[in-house]
Amino acid sequence: MNPTERAIPTVIADSMILARRNLLRFRRAPELVIGFLIQPIMFILLFVYVLGGAIQTPGFDDYVDFLIPGIIVQTISFGGFLTAIGLAEDMQKGLIDRFRSLPIARSAVLSGRTLADIVTNVVTIAVMVTVGLIIGFSFRTGPLEVVGGIGLLLLFGYAFSWVFALMGLSASSAEAAQQIGFIAIFPLTFASSAFVPPDSMPAILETFAADINPFTTVVDALRALWLGTPAGNDIWAAIVWSLGLIAVFAPLATRSYRRAVTG
Amino acid sequence: MSANNGYAIEAEGLSKSFGEVRALDGLDLQVASGTVLGLLGPNGAGKTTAVRILTTLLEPDAGTARVAGHDVVREARSLRASIGLAGQHAAIDESLTGFENLEMVGRLYHLGRDRARDRAHQLLDQFALTDSGNRVAKEYSGGMARRLDLAAALVAAPPVIFLDEPTTGLDPRSRQQLWEAIREQVADGTTVLLTTQYLDEADHLADSIAVIDHGKLIAEGTSDELKRRVGGDRIEIALSDPADAARAGEALEALASEPARHDGAILIVPIRQRREAIARAIRALDAIGVGVEDIAVRRPTLDDVFIALTGRLAAEKSRQSEVLR
């Protein structure tokens, strides 16, 4: 058979086989799923009921409306954590060597990981939206916009999966990957419009949060799609940011995988 | 897959440096189809680098190599369809069952779902893992994990398999079981390149042996050929009194092919022939009144070959394992 003729269907099929492998582990470790979902729920409840009363969000009926899009964007951006940890583990255990010695496309292992993240992100979004609806969040737009918002979240999450893929391949261990990811990304999500309006921040931070941080762009785009707030260029800019991240980090991660040396 | 001139693996002048370190320095290697080559060398000799290049995990800086007729650089993808690799780690997914591991690998070799499943069952059976096939691999013992790893390398029944120190860290019983599995596999004409620090492992499994050191081939041949190189049989005598060594050596001159040497109370006499050597030695020593605790005729071991060739022991570990056995 001609390898180039079969190349594209084979890459997709191989990626699906590997994505399935990554998801199978959840079947064996329900505690992983519970831990994965309980943390975001806990944060929603803490923010709404502990901090919410003290945070002013002009233009929003209720803090829960302001918070839900922001906290979902934050959580989804960390969905790729599973990719980072999984890849770092595969490196440590020598599985990456096995995969690299198999007749599969060198991108298949990484797309298998990032595809699996999309599935877990769908579950995360469903659970978080449900909790939000229970405690008073409501959509103010039509079904098309709501679905568009979910699509944007999945795209942004997918982009971050590639960022985490690079971290997982570069880190010396799964724990290190987790630390790097947390330190690099967690503060960025806070210095944005996700939890408080940027105009409540000191001037320099406000400039960063309102005008530079892509998290703000994505959060504001999601608010526009779910709550009908003015969108400006946010939706397009959020899509461009996501595609830009993929365009930069997917090749970097693939290159790093190609050269991976098991420790 | 047809191989060139009957060689399943051919490498010429392979070189690879990591920064200042020259891991491979013009390595030449040939493995005839259907045979097992034991690649022997001390730690850091370049064994793993050679395997990584031949399995396309690493590109050489210089030199060429073909495996199953495919060039390791230009035809890497088709080469990978013709090989199986079991490395130093048990490269299995611990959160999948043994069956799921093998099925996944089979599907990634593009066997298709049904064949991948059939093959997984067959291999679990062959490696005595049927009972544990539906258990998560995390629960496997070290020996079971290595057997599963070896099974994964064989899923596609590739014509060439690479085993990089397959039994490192295993207890003696698990090693024996793994050796048996490897031997069975080789019986059907698979070509195997096996790296090892355990000389007895190479002795048991390999048809021929290549010794490498500092990234170069320094000797090659069958185990017997290599042993003959370092000399023939010798008698080893444990003397009751080490002070008798010189006198005993003189008394045995008629038997010796070379002057005797001694190591503490052990007198080592290279001999011309095995026949009646012990009886003659005992009579000669008895005649001059030298007491003997123990006496044996011994062939040189690969250890002796190794020391003669590289000036060092293969590995401390291999000594220990011999004691354990």
Side-chain angles (χ1 to χ4, degrees):
Chain A
M1 65 199 119
N2 181 342
T4 43
E5 233 168 71
R6 299 194 49 219
I8 290 173
T10 311
V11 174
I12 295 170
D14 292 344
S15 305
M16 301 298 269
I17 292 165
L18 288 161
R20 178 172 169 268
R21 167 226 164 190
N22 299 330
L23 292 169
L24 271 177
R25 70 160 49 204
F26 289 107
R27 202 185 56 203
R28 302 272 149 56
E31 71 279 5
L32 209 66
V33 184
I34 292 166
F36 197 65
L37 292 175
I38 280 192
Q39 193 175 322
I41 295 172
M42 183 185 78
F43 272 113
I44 292 178
L45 299 179
L46 287 176
F47 267 92
V48 169
Y49 295 113
V50 179
L51 304 174
I55 297 171
Q56 300 299 312
T57 52
F60 294 83
D61 293 346
D62 201 347
Y63 183 63
V64 71
D65 284 338
F66 183 87
L67 175 75
I68 288 297
I71 202 164
I72 293 183
V73 169
Q74 184 202 40
T75 307
I76 288 307
S77 68
F78 277 98
F81 239 57
L82 291 173
T83 281
I85 295 167
L87 284 173
E89 271 176 10
D90 286 354
M91 296 267 289
Q92 260 178 321
K93 302 221 166 102
L95 260 169
I96 292 287
D97 274 358
R98 160 142 290 141
F99 290 136
R100 290 177 70 226
S101 75
L102 294 175
I104 56 175
R106 298 222 149 157
S107 55
V109 168
L110 299 183
S111 11
R113 282 285 172 194
T114 51
L115 283 175
D117 286 346
I118 294 182
V119 176
T120 50
N121 280 341
V122 167
V123 176
T124 306
I125 294 170
V127 169
M128 293 184 79
V129 166
T130 306
V131 171
L133 291 173
I134 292 170
I135 62 169
F137 173 79
S138 51
F139 295 111
R140 308 288 155 83
T141 52
L144 216 60
E145 285 92 341
V146 171
V147 172
I150 294 170
L152 178 66
L153 276 171
L154 293 177
L155 177 69
F156 187 63
Y158 186 68
F160 263 87
S161 286
W162 286 102
V163 177
F164 278 106
L166 182 65
M167 283 182 204
L169 290 167
S170 320
S172 55
S173 68
E175 292 74 22
Q178 208 158 355
Q179 289 297 328
I180 300 169
F182 192 72
I183 291 166
I185 295 172
F186 202 65
L188 280 182
T189 62
F190 271 86
S192 77
S193 66
F195 299 99
V196 298
D199 57 21
S200 65
M201 299 175 190
I204 296 174
L205 200 57
E206 183 194 343
T207 309
F208 175 75
D211 303 331
I212 300 169
N213 194 344
F215 278 98
T216 299
T217 310
V218 178
V219 169
D220 289 350
L222 190 60
R223 286 194 183 119
L225 286 166
W226 283 2
L227 302 170
T229 51
N233 294 323
D234 286 335
I235 295 172
W236 293 116
I239 293 172
V240 169
W241 262 110
S242 305
L243 295 177
L245 285 171
I246 296 171
V248 172
F249 283 92
L252 284 178
T254 308
R255 197 181 67 150
S256 167
Y257 172 79
R258 218 182 278 272
R259 295 179 180 177
V261 176
T262 299
Chain B
M1 270 320 133
S2 72
N4 294 346
N5 347 308
Y7 291 118
I9 303 172
E10 284 179 288
E12 224 182 282
L14 284 185
S15 296
K16 181 77 192 178
S17 298
F18 299 102
E20 296 287 289
V21 183
R22 261 182 109 66
L24 285 185
D25 189 8
L27 178 70
D28 299 318
L29 210 59
Q30 291 178 324
V31 188
S33 285
T35 67
V36 182
L37 176 82
L39 190 58
L40 213 58
N43 258 331
K47 301 187 297 284
T48 296
T49 306
V51 169
R52 292 180 69 82
I53 290 175
L54 294 171
T55 54
T56 77
L57 300 183
L58 204 62
E59 287 193 5
D61 296 338
T64 57
R66 297 177 76 78
V67 175
H70 306 284
D71 185 278
V72 291
V73 179
R74 282 177 290 116
E75 298 160 320
R77 184 84 167 264
S78 37
L79 188 159
R80 293 201 288 269
S82 310
I83 59 165
L85 167 67
Q88 297 180 27
H89 314 259
I92 53 176
D93 187 334
E94 292 189 332
S95 51
L96 301 188
T97 64
F99 175 78
E100 285 165 347
N101 265 290
L102 296 179
E103 187 205 9
M104 170 185 72
V105 172
R107 298 201 63 189
L108 293 174
Y109 271 111
H110 308 124
L111 296 184
R113 182 192 303 231
D114 292 344
R115 268 186 67 206
R117 289 188 176 169
D118 289 347
R119 187 72 181 132
H121 285 303
Q122 198 184 334
L123 283 164
L124 287 173
D125 192 39
Q126 201 176 321
F127 283 85
L129 290 167
T130 309
D131 295 339
S132 352
N134 289 322
R135 270 167 51 203
V136 181
K138 197 178 291 173
E139 299 167 10
Y140 283 18
S141 69
M144 288 163 73
R146 286 299 183 88
R147 293 214 297 281
L148 183 62
D149 186 52
L150 179 60
L154 302 175
V155 163
V160 182
I161 62 176
F162 292 88
L163 306 175
D164 191 10
E165 303 197 2
T167 63
T168 300
L170 286 188
D171 60 83
R173 204 172 131 257
S174 308
R175 276 176 81 200
Q176 291 286 356
Q177 282 181 328
L178 204 69
W179 286 357
E180 228 163 86
I182 294 169
R183 261 196 299 258
E184 272 166 28
Q185 188 59 32
V186 177
D188 352 310
T190 309
T191 306
V192 181
L193 189 150
L194 164 90
T195 77
T196 182
Q197 310 183 32
Y198 299 124
L199 306 167
D200 50 337
E201 184 160 291
D203 227 352
H204 267 82
L205 296 174
D207 298 310
S208 61
I209 290 170
V211 184
I212 69 171
D213 199 15
H214 302 298
K216 275 195 192 110
L217 185 70
I218 56 172
E220 107 183 282
T222 64
S223 168
D224 283 340
E225 282 166 1
L226 290 175
K227 287 172 187 169
R228 236 172 279 144
R229 270 208 205 186
V230 293
D233 297 336
R234 77 274 301 275
I235 299 186
E236 291 186 4
I237 303 161
L239 300 168
S240 308
D241 182 358
D244 289 336
R247 241 160 33 93
E250 276 167 36
L252 297 174
E253 247 168 33
L255 286 172
S257 60
E258 280 170 59
R261 58 182 193 273
H262 65 96
D263 181 4
I266 307 282
L267 182 71
I268 299 165
V269 187
I271 52 171
R272 276 193 279 266
Q273 58 169 8
R274 283 172 85 90
R275 259 184 59 223
E276 292 186 12
I278 291 185
R280 288 177 62 190
I282 289 176
R283 279 198 299 269
L285 294 176
D286 207 29
I288 56 163
V290 170
V292 171
E293 296 282 315
D294 194 10
I295 184 164
V297 175
R298 200 165 81 82
R299 296 223 127 112
T301 62
L302 272 180
D303 261 310
D304 302 319
V305 175
F306 207 80
I307 294 166
L309 288 168
T310 66
R312 36 201 158 130
L313 282 176
E316 282 309 306
K317 276 188 226 151
S318 76
R319 302 242 89 175
Q320 282 165 12
S321 77
E322 269 162 31
V323 172
L324 284 172
R325 267 185 336 122

